[in-house]
Amino acid sequence: MKVAVLGFGVVGQGVYEMLRTCPLFEAGPVLVRPGKADAPFKVDDIDKIVNDDSVDAVAEVMGGVDVAYAYGVKALKAGKHFVTSNKALVSARGVELAALAREN
């Protein structure tokens, strides 16, 4: 299963490293801020992840609510699994994300 990561801070780097070394998963692209895509695995456009048919799942570790929600919606509508550890997002919009996940 190829997993993309949204965010490359301390948590994002740890998740990416785990995916890179775990035999059960394949590390996919990592979404970074515009201008920070300084490695082949980094992208600065969410559409490069949601439109990538090889990506099966998206792990959101960027934090915040509005942007994380918008990216989660895009991922789910594209048929990707969406995983988050973002308690603020789950609290504010978790019901909506769960409904969208069931639909897709």
Side-chain angles (χ1 to χ4, degrees):
M1 175 179 277
K2 186 182 240 183
V3 182
V5 179
L6 307 184
F8 203 58
V10 172
V11 175
Q13 289 177 38
V15 170
Y16 180 77
E17 184 61 22
M18 186 267 322
L19 291 168
R20 200 180 65 72
T21 59
C22 179
L24 300 175
F25 297 103
E26 180 182 352
V30 176
L31 183 70
V32 295
R33 294 176 193 253
K36 300 290 184 181
D38 56 1
F41 66 92
K42 295 179 183 177
V43 298
D44 59 9
D45 181 355
I46 187 66
D47 290 331
K48 290 180 180 174
I49 290 173
V50 298
N51 294 328
D52 183 342
D53 291 336
S54 72
V55 171
D56 303 298
V58 175
E60 183 274 315
V61 293
M62 53 193 278
V65 174
D66 295 333
V67 175
Y69 174 75
Y71 290 171
V73 167
K74 279 190 164 205
L76 290 168
K77 285 186 175 180
K80 314 288 185 200
H81 298 284
F82 180 70
V83 180
T84 183
S85 62
N86 184 337
K87 291 179 275 310
L89 175 61
V90 172
S91 176
R93 309 298 288 270
V95 172
E96 295 162 67
L97 288 171
L100 189 56
R102 280 190 295 278
E103 290 173 20
N104 292 285

